Amino acid sequence: MSTGATASHPILAAVGQTPLVELTPAFPELPPGTRLFAKLESVNPGGSIKDRPVSRMITRALAEGRLAGGRRLLDSSSGNAGIAYAMLGAALGVPISIVVPGNASRERLDRIAAHGAELILTDPVEGYDFALRHAKHLAATQPERYWYSNQYANENNWRAHYETTGVEILEQVRSATGGLPDAFVAGVGTGGTLTGVGRRLREAAPQVHIASVIPDIFPGLEGLKPLGTEGDIVPDILDEALIDHRQIVPIEDAVATCRRLARAGYYVGPSSGAYVHLALRVAALGAHRVVVTVLNDTGERYVSTGMWAS
Ligand code: PMP
C-alpha cells in the first residue's frame, strides 16, 4: 500500500453496525419495568469489539503515511486487538507485530499467527502492563522497524467508539424504547469503550449513570486491566471523570453469568459476563430503567481456558 493511500477493503465495511439485543427476558430477577440491552460485538469479522478501534487506528496510520517503507505496525494487546490488527493488516497488506502476555488464550494466539502477524510473547505472570512496556521499549529502540500504534494512548481508539458504538447505542435504544439510556456498564482494557461511549452518551443524556467493572487481581478477566492497585498503569485515553461507580467482579460471577447467557443463546467471553453481572446489580438498584452494556467477544475464544467445562 502506498504512502497516504486511503484504505478501502470490504472487510472494513463489515465492522460495526452490530445488533443491540435485549437481555431482559433472560433475567427475570430484573425489577419490573427495567430493561437490559447489550451490543452484540462478537458479530464483528474479528469476533470482538476491538475491530472498531483497530480499523480506525490502522486506516488513520496508513493515511498519515506512518507505515511507509514497509514499517511494521506494533502494539501490545490482551489478544482481541491483536486479532483485529492481524486480520485487518492481512487484508490491507500492512505488516503487524503484536506483544501479548503469554497467558492469552490459545485461540487468540493461534488466530493472530494464522493471519501472518509476528507474535512477541511476554511473561504471563507480568501481565498487560509489562507487555505494554515491552512494546514501548521495542518502538523506542527500533524506530525504523516499528510504528507504535499504542492503543492505550491513541485518540483514534476512543474516537471509534464515540463515532460508532455510542451513536449506534443512542439510535438503537431510541428505536427500542423511544428514549435514552439511563445507565451504561463497561470495563477498562484500554478505556476506549468506556471513554468513547461514555462521552457520547453523556452529551445526549447528561444524567446517564456510568458504572465500571474492575476485575479481581488474580486470576483476572481476559481483556480487562486491574485498576486501582498501586503501580497499575492508567491508560492515557481513559476519562476517569466519566465513571460514577466502580465495582470488583470476581471471575466466578462473570463465568456464572456467561453460562446463563449461553442458555439464552448468547455465547460470550468472561468480560461480557462480568459486564452483564454488574449491569444486573445496577439495574437492581431500581433507579435506572434502561441499562445498556456490551457483549465484547465470542465464548469460542475461551474453550481452552476450561470455562465451559461442566
Ligand atoms: N473485553 C475484552 C474481551 C477485551 O479484549 C477488551 C479489550 N482489551 C475489553 C473488554 C475492554 O475494551 P477497551 O479496550 O475498550 O477498554
Side-chain angles (χ1 to χ4, degrees):
M1 180 141 311
S2 64
T3 307
T6 307
S8 140
H9 191 283
I11 209 163
L12 292 169
V15 175
Q17 293 295 344
T18 59
L20 182 79
V21 294
E22 179 156 16
L23 302 178
T24 315
F27 297 100
E29 72 267 37
L30 282 164
T34 301
R35 298 176 72 180
L36 176 58
F37 295 92
K39 287 291 273 178
L40 188 62
E41 294 299 309
S42 53
V43 303
N44 281 301
S48 89
I49 190 164
K50 297 303 295 198
D51 287 4
R52 294 175 184 266
V54 167
S55 66
R56 186 169 168 121
M57 291 188 287
I58 201 167
T59 53
R60 296 294 161 114
L62 273 171
E64 290 162 7
R66 311 270 188 201
L67 303 163
R71 249 163 133 213
R72 307 183 68 85
L73 184 150
L74 170 75
D75 212 344
S76 67
S77 163
S78 64
N80 279 333
I83 289 172
Y85 278 122
M87 174 187 74
L88 295 172
L92 299 171
V94 174
I96 303 286
S97 297
I98 301 291
V99 184
V100 187
N103 61 325
S105 67
R106 188 75 248 158
E107 292 87 336
R108 283 164 150 79
L109 302 178
D110 286 352
R111 177 145 181 202
I112 293 170
H115 287 300
E118 177 189 33
L119 259 175
I120 302 161
L121 294 181
T122 56
D123 188 336
V125 188
E126 305 280 358
Y128 301 140
D129 284 355
F130 186 80
L132 197 164
R133 287 197 186 93
H134 189 59
K136 218 169 241 173
H137 170 77
L138 288 173
T141 52
Q142 300 177 62
E144 66 301 322
R145 178 170 165 83
Y146 294 120
W147 179 73
Y148 183 29
S149 183
N150 195 2
Q151 55 162 339
Y152 291 89
N154 191 320
E155 296 284 308
N156 289 310
N157 178 348
W158 73 264
R159 281 190 188 282
H161 295 290
Y162 181 82
E163 299 292 350
T164 73
T165 329
V167 172
E168 291 168 32
I169 288 172
L170 287 171
E171 285 170 3
Q172 291 168 315
V173 166
R174 184 175 300 281
S175 85
T177 71
L180 292 162
D182 298 306
F184 177 66
V185 177
V188 174
T190 62
T193 308
L194 196 142
T195 301
V197 174
R199 284 185 175 151
R200 178 64 81 176
L201 298 191
R202 271 279 154 76
E203 279 174 17
Q207 304 304 322
V208 71
H209 178 82
I210 298 181
S212 173
V213 168
I214 306 292
D216 260 347
I217 293 172
F218 188 83
L221 282 160
E222 268 194 67
L224 300 187
K225 268 186 113 289
L227 275 183
T229 311
E230 183 99 12
D232 287 342
I233 296 176
V234 178
D236 290 348
I237 58 165
L238 174 64
D239 183 353
E240 290 192 272
L242 290 165
I243 304 171
D244 296 305
H245 173 69
R246 298 168 188 242
Q247 188 158 323
I248 292 180
V249 178
I251 188 139
E252 297 76 22
D253 290 338
V255 170
T257 309
C258 287
R259 290 173 178 275
R260 290 186 70 189
L261 285 163
R263 292 300 174 114
Y266 303 108
Y267 195 56
V268 296
S271 75
S272 311
Y275 287 20
V276 172
H277 177 82
L278 181 55
L280 291 167
R281 302 281 286 263
V282 167
L285 300 172
H288 313 289
R289 294 174 72 79
V290 176
V291 179
V292 181
T293 189
V294 182
L295 300 175
N296 295 294
D297 65 358
T298 163
E300 278 157 19
R301 202 149 276 174
Y302 302 87
V303 173
S304 70
T305 69
M307 72 172 273
W308 298 111
S310 43

